[in-house]
């Protein structure tokens, strides 16, 4: 029946993945619009249960994956190339980095670059820290860097590395289900594999929709500041519709013409805004604070990475760390595949080093300039920044810019940057979802990519109308759990394949058991790898 429906609609898909994913998304929208309060309440209850019973699992999983990736980078597996042994990167390092950033967390940095440090500065998560103190300022920067540094990019790097390895090294389809081929074998191409891909599609849809929702909140605040546009749910829905339309046009051009060019333009605009704030802001204070913040982040990372707030009965972890990890995890299939698409030819060591440390370094600079400047503004009492942030975090960056010259121009530039980040997130996600829902031998149809771009916008609008920021947080914290489990299995699957690869065995031999048996038999011995055709 699904294949007949596909022929009638003129689509090129894996029917079980495409129609199941689209059907579940449609069902959510149909239920959430008339029963918005009930749906929001149900996700609030589910999120509370997940946070109370499985919050520790989120914390442990992400930190364990970071340790695993760092070990891979320095191990003998680090020299394995993502492709044939003579393959070379498709993109220059600079272009690769700009695409990583724009499709990764550009929108997130714009939203939280000011809001998070100020929030922790005036309301520290630690009992023995006085709000507004020097220690509160230091802790605020450390926590912000923890949330947006190595851990965030670990969540993106894990699926990205696994996808690139299995696709370019073993010619498996570029889908999440392929990562489990060493475990599932031929069942990867059946209902079990389709279920994995459906989870990945839904995670991507809701994860990107959450970002679009946050972007709409922030755009509404910016337009309200600049032009007096009212701040309402329906204005935000209109903004989502407009930006989704722009993303649909971009996605029609594909990866090279659409996403790459927008990414390069936007990284330039973001750096311009960054340098402007640094030059007109408290430059010496920022420089001193950035150096100190890096040291504080590095020294606090070992204990902070496994901190679960055990001895304090508060909701802080659910509202901040668990939300971030779950949100990033739902993005992981999309960003992972996108990173894999642009990373062919690099070694595993190059991939891990680049994906973990280059964006983290930029994040350190971003929060160093925006976060420290915002804390300085709050400490000097120039404007009631903390009051704005606590009332509505989406207005944070625009309230912050009031403390500097050329406020209107800087705010307008911020709005443009948010729009382009909004667009690159949506169009690159649409490209990835299209890949997840069709076979590699099927053409990528423009109308399918546009459909997924529209679906993200509709889900974002629905969640906003169902409860705004709190609804976005609750839905994502609950939905991130299934893919968190997949990430852990993904690491096991990758390790098994790398172990066999280092001895020259193919992934098919690994599935059949022959390679893994020989890997175990030769563990600790020196053996020349055989050539596998």
């Amino acid at each position: 029946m699904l294949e007949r429906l596909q022929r009638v609609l003129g689509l090129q898909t894996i029917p079980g993945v495409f129609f199941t994913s689209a059907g579940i998304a449609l069902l959510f929208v149909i239920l959430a619009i008339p029963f918005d309060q009930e749906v929001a309440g149900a996700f609030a209850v589910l999120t509370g249960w997940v946070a109370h019973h499985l919050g520790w699992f989120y914390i442990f999983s992400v930190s364990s994956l970071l340790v695993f990736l760092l070990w891979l980078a320095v191990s003998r597996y680090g020299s394995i190339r993502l492709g044939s042994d003579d393959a070379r990167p498709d993109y220059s390092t600079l272009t690769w980095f700009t695409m990583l950033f724009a499709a990764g967390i550009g929108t997130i940095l714009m939203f939280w670059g000011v809001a998070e440090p100020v929030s922790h500065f005036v309301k520290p998560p630690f009992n023995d820290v006085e709000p507004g103190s020097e220690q509160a300022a230091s802790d605020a920067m450390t926590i912000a860097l923890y949330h947006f540094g190595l851990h965030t990019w670990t969540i993106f790097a894990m699926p990205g590395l696994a996808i690139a390895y299995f696709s370019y090294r073993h010619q498996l389809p570029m889908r999440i289900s392929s990562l489990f081929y060493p475990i599932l074998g031929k069942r990867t191409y059946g209902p079990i594999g389709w279920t994995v891909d459906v989870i990945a599609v839904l995670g991507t849809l809701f994860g990107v929709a959450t970002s679009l929702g946050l972007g709409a909140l922030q755009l509404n605040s910016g337009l309200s500041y600049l032009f007096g546009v009212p701040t309402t749910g329906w204005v935000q829905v209109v903004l989502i519709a407009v930006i989704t339309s722009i993303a649909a046009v971009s996605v029609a051009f594909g990866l090279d013409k659409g996403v790459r060019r927008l990414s390069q333009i936007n990284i330039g605009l973001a750096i311009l805004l960054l340098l402007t704030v640094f030059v007109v802001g408290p430059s010496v204070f920022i420089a001193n604070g950035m150096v100190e913040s890096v040291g504080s982040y590095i020294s606090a990372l070992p204990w902070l990475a496994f901190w679960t707030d055990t001895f304090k009965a508060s909701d802080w972890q659910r509202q901040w760390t668990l939300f971030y990890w779950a949100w990033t995890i739902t993005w992981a299939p999309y960003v992972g595949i996108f990173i894999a698409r642009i990373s062919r030819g690099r070694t595993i060591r190059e991939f891990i080093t680049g994906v973990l440390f280059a964006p983290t370094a930029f994040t350190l600079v971003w929060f160093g300039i925006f976060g420290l400047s915002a804390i300085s503004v709050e400490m000097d009492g120039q404007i009631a920044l903390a009051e704005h942030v606590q009332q509505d975090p989406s207005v944070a960056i625009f309230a912050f810019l009031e403390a500097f010259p050329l406020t209107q121009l800087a705010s307008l530039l911020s709005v443009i940057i948010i729009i382009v980040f909004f667009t690159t997130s949506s169009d690159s996600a649409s490209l990835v979802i299209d890949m997840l829902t069709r076979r590699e031998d099927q053409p990528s149809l423009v109308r399918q990519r546009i459909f997924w771009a529209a679906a993200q916008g509709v889900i974002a609008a629905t969640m906003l109308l169902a409860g705004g920021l709190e609804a976005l947080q609750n839905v994502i914290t609950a939905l991130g759990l299934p893919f968190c489990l997949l990430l852990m299995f993904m690491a096991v699957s990758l390790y098994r394949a790398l172990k066999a690869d280092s001895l020259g065995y193919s992934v098919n031999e690994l599935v059949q058991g022959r390679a893994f048996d020989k890997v175990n038999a030769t563990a600790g011995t020196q053996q020349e790898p055989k050539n596998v055709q």
Side-chain angles (χ1 to χ4, degrees):
M1 184 178 71
L2 293 180
E3 291 182 356
R4 186 185 307 165
L5 179 60
Q6 173 174 274
R7 287 195 297 271
V8 170
L9 296 176
L11 303 177
Q12 295 287 336
T13 69
I14 302 171
V17 178
F18 182 93
F19 289 110
T20 302
S21 302
I24 293 174
L26 179 62
L27 180 63
F28 171 82
V29 172
I30 290 173
L31 291 176
I33 291 176
F35 304 108
D36 55 344
Q37 296 301 318
E38 291 81 0
V39 170
F43 273 104
V45 172
L46 181 58
T47 297
W49 186 91
V50 169
H52 179 72
H53 294 280
L54 295 171
W56 63 270
F57 180 70
Y58 273 121
I59 303 296
F60 176 77
S61 298
V62 179
S63 295
S64 297
L65 290 173
L66 172 58
V67 174
F68 173 69
L69 289 175
L70 293 175
W71 172 78
L72 273 186
V74 299
S75 72
R76 60 194 174 105
Y77 305 122
S79 59
I80 294 176
R81 198 167 287 277
L82 301 175
S84 60
D85 291 337
D86 59 350
R88 290 298 178 267
D90 294 336
Y91 298 99
S92 68
T93 300
L94 180 60
T95 298
W96 184 52
F97 171 60
T98 60
M99 296 173 79
L100 283 176
F101 179 74
I105 59 171
T107 306
I108 305 174
L109 293 184
M110 287 296 294
F111 192 95
W112 294 110
V114 171
E116 176 157 4
V118 172
S119 296
H120 302 324
F121 176 60
V122 298
K123 193 176 181 181
F126 308 120
N127 286 331
D128 56 345
V129 177
E130 180 183 353
S133 64
E134 292 181 8
Q135 186 61 48
S138 178
D139 290 344
M141 290 300 300
T142 299
I143 293 169
L145 296 179
Y146 165 54
H147 283 155
F148 294 99
L150 292 174
H151 280 71
T152 285
W153 287 94
T154 290
I155 296 170
F156 294 153
M158 185 66 249
L161 174 61
I163 291 163
Y165 172 78
F166 284 111
S167 296
Y168 299 137
R169 192 78 179 175
H170 296 291
Q171 291 74 53
L172 291 175
M174 192 169 280
R175 296 199 296 272
I176 298 299
S177 57
S178 296
L179 311 187
F180 301 93
Y181 190 85
I183 298 174
L184 299 176
K186 297 297 183 182
R187 290 174 295 175
T188 300
Y189 305 113
I192 297 178
W194 297 344
T195 300
V196 172
D197 287 330
V198 167
I199 292 173
V201 170
L202 293 175
T204 300
L205 275 176
F206 281 88
V208 175
T210 298
S211 295
L212 299 186
L214 291 176
L217 290 171
Q218 195 172 30
L219 277 175
N220 196 176
S221 297
L223 294 175
S224 176
Y225 171 79
L226 289 170
F227 307 112
V229 175
T231 305
T232 66
W234 288 108
V235 170
Q236 292 152 17
V237 170
V238 171
L239 288 172
I240 289 175
V242 171
I243 304 303
T244 301
S245 300
I246 297 173
V249 173
S250 176
V251 79
F253 285 100
L255 180 64
D256 289 328
K257 293 183 179 179
V259 179
R260 184 177 67 175
R261 291 178 182 175
L262 282 175
S263 300
Q264 291 172 334
I265 292 170
N266 216 39
I267 195 69
L269 294 177
I271 291 175
L272 175 62
L273 179 63
L274 198 67
L275 292 176
T276 300
V277 173
F278 178 75
V279 171
V280 302
S283 304
V284 175
F285 176 81
I286 291 171
N288 287 332
M290 284 176 60
V291 174
E292 186 173 315
S293 295
V294 171
S296 297
Y297 170 59
I298 294 172
S299 64
L301 190 59
W303 72 265
L304 198 56
F306 295 95
W307 175 54
T308 59
D309 206 11
T310 305
F311 304 107
K312 182 182 177 184
S314 74
D315 203 34
W316 188 91
Q317 282 265 349
R318 183 187 69 82
Q319 293 179 336
W320 292 97
T321 307
L322 297 186
F323 166 62
Y324 283 144
W325 286 183
W327 182 15
T328 310
I329 286 168
T330 58
W331 275 55
Y334 135 59
V335 180
I337 290 179
F338 184 81
I339 293 174
R341 278 285 305 274
I342 62 177
S343 300
R344 174 165 38 195
R346 299 187 182 276
T347 65
I348 288 177
R349 186 171 294 115
E350 288 173 341
F351 180 96
I352 293 174
T353 303
V355 175
L356 285 185
F357 291 99
T360 296
F362 189 90
T363 300
L364 292 172
V365 174
W366 187 277
F367 272 97
I369 292 177
F370 278 97
L372 288 167
S373 296
I375 289 174
S376 175
V377 167
E378 178 64 24
M379 291 174 68
D380 294 343
Q382 292 176 257
I383 56 176
L385 184 57
E387 184 178 336
H388 286 292
V389 171
Q390 291 177 320
Q391 289 178 352
D392 181 7
S394 67
V395 80
I397 191 168
F398 303 106
F400 162 73
L401 291 173
E402 289 183 6
F404 301 96
L406 303 174
T407 301
Q408 293 275 355
L409 182 59
S411 296
L412 181 60
L413 180 59
S414 298
V415 167
I416 294 171
I417 292 171
I418 294 166
I419 290 173
V420 181
F421 275 141
F422 203 145
T423 303
T424 53
S425 295
S426 180
D427 60 12
S428 53
S430 301
L431 288 167
V432 166
I433 294 174
D434 182 54
M435 291 175 59
L436 287 171
T437 56
R438 64 177 172 83
R439 299 193 313 268
E440 288 197 329
D441 61 345
Q442 293 175 319
S444 176
L445 302 181
V446 172
R447 59 179 174 273
Q448 290 176 193
R449 301 200 300 267
I450 292 176
F451 168 78
W452 291 118
Q456 296 160 31
V458 172
I459 292 172
T462 302
M463 288 195 292
L464 276 180
L465 294 177
L469 180 58
E470 185 176 356
L472 296 173
Q473 290 177 320
N474 287 335
V475 170
I476 284 304
T477 304
L479 293 183
L481 185 61
F483 200 78
C484 187
L485 293 169
L486 292 183
L487 283 177
M488 298 300 285
F489 282 110
M490 198 180 295
V492 174
S493 180
L494 178 62
Y495 176 67
R496 284 170 56 92
L498 287 172
K499 212 172 182 185
D501 193 357
S502 67
L503 293 175
Y505 296 100
S506 71
V507 70
N508 282 323
E509 289 179 300
L510 175 61
V511 172
Q512 294 164 7
R514 300 198 306 271
F516 197 63
D517 289 342
K518 293 177 181 180
V519 168
N520 288 334
T522 57
T525 66
Q526 296 294 324
Q527 176 176 322
E528 290 294 325
K530 68 173 187 175
N531 294 321
V532 178
Q533 300 297 326

